[in-house]
Amino acid sequence: MDVTIRGAGVFGLSCAWALARRGARVRVIDPAGVGAGASGGIVGALAPHVPEQWNDKKAFQLDSLLMAEDWWAAVAEIGGGDPGYARTGRLQPIADNAALERAEARGVEARTLWRGAATWEVIKAPADWPPGGGRVIHDTLSARIHPARACDALARAIRALGGSIDTDAPERGPVLHATGWQGLAEMRDDRGRPAGAPIKGQAVLLDLDRRDAPQLYVDGLHVVPHGDGTTAIGSTSEREFDHDHTDVLAEDLLERARAALPVLTGAPVLRRWAGLRPRARSRAPLMGTWPGRPGNFIANGGFKIGFGMAPKVAETMADLILEGTDRIPEAFRTDTLAPRRG
């Protein structure tokens, strides 16, 4: 089967990879190129939702995080690129006794909800990562990935399997739309509202080599040591903004991170990044057929969890497109979208 994918962000590329592995001839089309939007970022925190108040979104994310190691390893093996994946875990400082009680209760829940595949526990803080003297949550489910390099690795793997990635080309076969915030803004639900909107995020990349350390979640920020000897800090969530370029909030973000983690002080800034991330109205990825448009499909709305969700999103969409098998959770469905006109 020929399949066309519009959008070369993580959802589009991941779906193309899953389809190509099953024998489809895939063509990815994106005028801006590979990872040109939010997927070309620098943070790459693959972190789970807290293990409580379980729902379809959390269960879907768990499955995706658990399959990620083998999935990204296959991408690297076939294409020769390095996505920067490593399941290094995460530490979160505990602020007070109330937070400690919540953390311990969630640890009990994790034993069941995470099916023994990962742990969530309270431990003593390491000496300087984060500063010692207190308790921290340690989960072994969190992983890291280098977003831009992961997109490049996917593109290499797709081409290795005979797929193409073009800035413009005719469509062939079913069409999957993974077009980021622009696509969400153009889609309307049955009440005439946009299916989603862009949320601006900013991040900073430091020249600090902690590649063997777990990622941290401190003061609402992700601190992610990458395998290339850099450390990323992010990110902001801005619903109102004048432009999508980096501005003063990146410096504020860096100051907050240094205050919480003094070891970051003095590390040179390599890059400041800003981008617009696609958030669906439901806050869950939007997946399925495009109502009123036979042969067209949608996978969009990754927002902050797109890379963590990508393996499961990709395999689920491949099931739907190639086999007609629908395993999409109710909260993710496109049923409320209005048929596209024209």
Side-chain angles (χ1 to χ4, degrees), residues 290-310:
W290 193 324
R293 198 173 180 193
N296 284 257
F297 301 84
I298 296 167
N300 206 335
F303 190 34
K304 293 182 179 181
I305 58 175
F307 278 87
M309 290 286 208

Side-chain angles (χ1 to χ4, degrees), residues 52-71:
E52 64 180 10
Q53 299 178 349
W54 210 238
N55 56 33
D56 286 347
K57 180 180 177 181
K58 292 184 178 183
F60 191 98
Q61 185 199 43
L62 174 65
D63 288 344
S64 193
L65 291 174
L66 291 177
M67 66 190 286
E69 186 167 10
D70 290 342
W71 199 86

Side-chain angles (χ1 to χ4, degrees), residues 76-229:
E77 180 180 0
I78 296 297
D82 179 8
Y85 176 89
R87 188 169 155 184
T88 53
R90 177 179 60 167
L91 301 177
Q92 303 177 64
I94 298 173
D96 51 37
N97 288 333
L100 176 60
E101 290 181 6
R102 289 194 299 271
E104 291 174 337
R106 288 167 177 168
V108 174
E109 288 289 298
R111 293 171 199 163
T112 300
L113 296 174
W114 289 359
R115 308 192 296 266
T119 59
W120 170 294
E121 61 182 348
V122 175
I123 64 172
K124 184 179 179 180
D128 67 342
W129 191 260
R135 300 281 190 91
V136 294
I137 300 163
H138 176 224
D139 84 74
T140 61
L141 182 55
S142 292
R144 71 180 184 215
I145 201 162
H146 193 294
R149 293 185 180 186
C151 288
D152 178 71
L154 282 165
R156 290 170 180 263
I158 290 164
R159 292 185 177 113
L161 293 181
S164 64
I165 302 174
D166 304 292
T167 56
D168 189 24
E171 296 176 349
R172 300 184 303 209
V175 181
L176 171 65
H177 300 263
T179 47
W181 70 266
Q182 297 95 330
L184 291 179
E186 292 174 359
M187 299 172 192
R188 301 282 165 170
D189 66 13
D190 51 12
R191 297 172 59 182
R193 302 173 300 181
I199 305 294
K200 182 178 177 179
Q202 297 181 51
V204 178
L205 189 67
L206 301 180
D207 185 5
L208 180 68
D209 191 346
R210 288 298 182 103
R211 68 186 70 197
D212 297 323
Q215 63 180 274
L216 307 178
Y217 187 67
V218 294
D219 192 22
L221 300 174
H222 295 280
V223 180
V224 183
H226 286 298
D228 62 358

